[in-house]
Amino acid sequence: MKSRTTLAFALLLAGCSQPPVEFSPEDMNAGEDMTAADMQPVEEDMTPDMTPADMGEDMVALPCDGACEGDTPVCDEANNTCVGCLNETHCEGDTPACDTSTNTCVACTDETFCDGDTPVCDTANATCVGCLGDDNCSGDTPVCDTSSTTCVGCLDNTSCESPDASLCGADQTCGACMADADCSHLGLNRCVQGVCTECTVATEQDDCGNNACLPDGTCGDTERESLTACQPCQADNE
C-alpha cells in the first residue's frame, strides 16, 4: 500500500513540472535605457505642439450642428432651430424685411419698405399694395378697389360726382352720362348731351312742376306763363 502511494505522488510531481524560462544578462539589462517619460501613455493624433486641451477645441458643437442652409440659412441659437431670418440683415432683394413672428423674409412689415405704385404695406399678407382703403387714394383715383388693392377713379356711379362725368365706365373712370339714370345719384333728372341737368323744356312739367325750366337746365322760381307783357323773364315759357 505504501509503495503505491509513493508512486502516485512521484507521477503527480512529474506532470506539473515545466521547463525553466532562461533569461540572458542582455535581456535583463534591456530596460536600463528607458526613462519614466518613455513609459507615459501616448496621446493619439497629436502633433508635437498639441495638448489634449487643444484637441477639445476642434470638437465644440456648431450652432444648429452647422446644418442651416437653403431657405433656412440662419440658426436661432436660443431654440437651436434653423430659420429664414432673425432680423433685416438676413434679408435682401424682393424680400428685404424679416417677419419675426414667422422668422421668414418678406416684402414688407410696414410702409417703410413700400414706395412707388405700391406705397402701402398689407401686413396681413406681408406685401406692398396700392391701397387698403380710400384714405390711401387721392386725385384722379380717389377710390380704393379692395379686390385689386389699387386706387381707381370709381367703383360705380356714386363715386362720380360731377354733372359732366357722372357715369363710372368699365375702365373704372368717370365719364359723360349716357342716360337719365346716370344722373339720379346727383339728384338730377336728365342727361343732355353727356351732361346731367335738372330739367329740359320738354320735361319741365315732370321736373319742375308748375315752374319753368330755365335755359341752364335748372328749374326756375316763376310759374310757367304767369308773367304779363313787359315783365322781366328768364325763360320764354314763363
Side-chain angles (χ1 to χ4, degrees):
M1 181 69 178
K2 182 176 180 180
S3 61
R4 290 181 180 178
T5 301
T6 301
L7 178 59
F9 182 75
L11 292 173
L12 179 62
L13 290 176
C16 292
S17 62
Q18 296 290 333
V21 178
E22 296 181 358
F23 292 94
S24 68
E26 290 79 6
D27 295 329
M28 299 294 289
N29 295 328
E32 291 181 356
D33 294 333
M34 296 181 64
T35 64
D38 295 328
M39 301 179 69
Q40 296 296 322
V42 177
E43 297 287 349
E44 295 182 357
D45 300 326
M46 289 179 61
T47 65
D49 296 330
M50 290 180 63
T51 66
D54 294 328
M55 295 181 65
E57 293 178 0
D58 295 334
M59 300 176 67
V60 175
L62 295 174
C64 296
D65 296 327
C68 298
E69 59 184 356
D71 293 336
T72 55
V74 181
C75 180
D76 178 0
E77 295 186 34
N79 298 299
N80 196 39
T81 304
C82 293
V83 296
C85 64
L86 292 174
N87 53 59
E88 293 171 16
T89 62
H90 300 141
C91 303
E92 59 184 0
D94 293 335
T95 54
C98 180
D99 183 348
T100 54
S101 65
T102 59
N103 294 116
T104 55
C105 291
V106 294
C108 68
T109 52
D110 57 50
E111 271 71 19
T112 59
F113 295 94
C114 304
D115 57 16
D117 293 335
T118 54
V120 180
C121 181
D122 178 2
T123 55
N125 297 298
T127 56
C128 293
V129 297
C131 63
L132 291 174
D134 292 350
D135 291 343
N136 303 133
C137 303
S138 61
D140 293 335
T141 53
V143 182
C144 181
D145 182 351
T146 55
S147 65
S148 62
T149 59
T150 56
C151 292
V152 296
C154 60
L155 294 177
D156 53 40
N157 286 0
T158 60
S159 302
C160 301
E161 300 177 351
S162 175
D164 59 357
S166 63
L167 173 64
C168 183
D171 60 354
Q172 294 186 303
T173 60
C174 294
C177 63
M178 298 182 68
D180 291 347
D182 299 335
C183 303
S184 60
H185 64 285
L186 299 177
L188 300 175
N189 303 314
R190 307 300 170 191
C191 176
V192 181
Q193 296 181 345
V195 179
C196 293
T197 64
E198 187 176 9
C199 62
T200 65
V201 173
T203 60
E204 63 184 354
Q205 183 171 355
D206 294 332
D207 302 332
C208 304
N210 292 327
N211 293 348
C213 180
L214 305 182
D216 64 359
T218 61
C219 292
D221 296 328
T222 305
E223 290 186 7
R224 295 191 307 279
E225 301 178 359
S226 64
L227 299 179
T228 59
C230 299
Q231 285 184 297
C233 63
Q234 294 178 298
D236 292 342
N237 53 354
E238 290 179 339

